[in-house]
Amino acid sequence: MEDFKKFLSKYKGAIIGGLISLVALLLNLHKILIWIIIILAGIVIGNYVQHNKEFVKDKLKTYIDKL
């Protein structure tokens, strides 16, 4: 019983994370999470491009020239 308590105290974060992900999969929440991640990635990329417009233009130009 002592070993089991040590195991739970050592890995309780992983166990809780696994249970939450199992519930999310059962409720099809993973589709919503994927959409949220894609939207957030678009926001971050758009912000980066807006603040580094010239750098991005130069990098795209050199990439297109290589093709």
Side-chain angles (χ1 to χ4, degrees):
M1 189 66 168
E2 189 66 32
D3 291 336
F4 185 68
K5 286 182 181 179
K6 284 182 183 179
F7 176 79
L8 283 181
S9 67
K10 187 174 182 180
Y11 295 109
K12 70 180 170 187
I15 293 169
I16 292 171
L19 290 175
I20 290 173
S21 64
L22 182 63
V23 170
L25 284 174
L26 291 175
L27 297 176
N28 284 330
L29 294 177
H30 62 281
K31 293 177 185 176
I32 295 170
L33 292 174
I34 290 172
W35 280 104
I36 290 172
I37 290 170
I38 290 171
I39 291 169
L40 289 176
I43 290 169
V44 170
I45 291 170
N47 188 37
Y48 178 80
V49 169
Q50 180 182 3
H51 291 293
N52 300 307
K53 196 178 292 183
E54 291 301 319
F55 179 73
V56 172
K57 275 185 184 178
D58 291 338
K59 285 293 183 180
L60 283 174
K61 187 182 257 185
T62 56
Y63 180 72
I64 290 172
D65 289 341
K66 288 181 182 178
L67 292 176

